[in-house]
Amino acid sequence: MVTEGSSAYNFEMFEPQKQRTQPQFKVVQNKKMERVRTRNFILKVATYVSVFFVGVISVLFNQIAITEITNEVSNKNAELNTLQNEYRMLEAQLESSVALTNIEETVTRQLGLTKLDSSQITYLSLSEEDTYTIPEEKQGSLWARIKQVVEYISAQ
């Protein structure tokens, strides 16, 4: 303490002071809060795992669909190649059957026809003009005309 009127030092400042102790806090864990945190953690993990498995399953299904479509395309391409080869073969067969030499050979062998020789050719001379005479129509009754139309139609 400071004495009045004295200019002496305050030696109390140099004395060891009692250490102030911090009050000790005791942490009490709230079991309800711990359960809520554990439950929330489990729900998050379960959500992430389920999203992961849904993603994996969707990728697998997509790969299966792609594989099926690829196989179908391959099968259709093979069928297309087969049909194109058959088309080429039939086209070549058609061209060979239409060729004049093949037609001539077929006619001579199967039908027994032969080529014309000069003794078989006959020339006709038409000195008169070709004419066609239309017979005169008789003016008949209405019944006769209807009969002619019906005969004409039935002949067709």
Side-chain angles (χ1 to χ4, degrees):
M1 296 226 209
V2 180
T3 57
E4 291 184 27
S6 92
S7 59
Y9 289 109
N10 184 3
F11 289 107
E12 288 179 5
M13 286 177 41
F14 297 108
E15 290 179 10
Q17 295 184 359
K18 294 181 186 177
Q19 296 249 343
R20 291 187 190 173
T21 58
Q22 296 264 342
Q24 296 290 330
F25 293 110
K26 187 175 182 182
V27 176
V28 177
Q29 293 183 356
N30 189 354
K31 290 185 178 184
K32 286 184 180 180
M33 285 300 288
E34 188 64 33
R35 286 183 197 152
V36 168
R37 286 183 186 149
T38 305
R39 184 173 39 119
N40 287 344
F41 178 74
I42 290 172
L43 286 175
K44 285 180 183 178
V45 169
T47 302
Y48 292 141
V49 168
S50 63
V51 166
F52 174 75
F53 280 120
V54 166
V56 168
I57 289 171
S58 66
V59 168
L60 288 175
F61 278 124
N62 285 339
Q63 289 299 323
I64 289 170
I66 288 171
T67 303
E68 288 176 354
I69 290 172
T70 303
N71 288 339
E72 187 176 333
V73 166
S74 297
N75 291 339
K76 294 299 179 184
N77 281 337
E79 184 179 342
L80 175 65
N81 287 336
T82 303
L83 291 174
Q84 283 177 340
N85 290 337
E86 184 178 347
Y87 173 75
R88 287 185 202 111
M89 182 185 70
L90 290 173
E91 193 174 43
Q93 187 179 8
L94 176 66
E95 286 177 6
S96 69
S97 68
V98 176
L100 290 177
T101 56
N102 289 339
I103 293 174
E104 182 179 353
E105 185 177 319
T106 303
V107 167
T108 55
R109 285 189 182 173
Q110 293 177 0
L111 300 176
L113 299 176
T114 59
K115 287 187 177 182
L116 290 176
D117 45 345
S118 60
S119 66
Q120 294 175 323
I121 298 174
T122 306
Y123 294 100
L124 296 176
S125 173
L126 297 175
S127 57
E128 299 177 13
E129 290 183 22
D130 290 336
T131 59
Y132 178 72
T133 309
I134 300 174
E136 292 182 25
E137 293 184 15
K138 296 180 181 177
Q139 296 293 334
S141 66
L142 179 64
W143 179 252
R145 287 185 184 174
I146 293 175
K147 189 176 179 183
Q148 286 177 349
V149 170
V150 170
E151 288 175 1
Y152 177 75
I153 292 174
S154 64
Q156 296 285 336

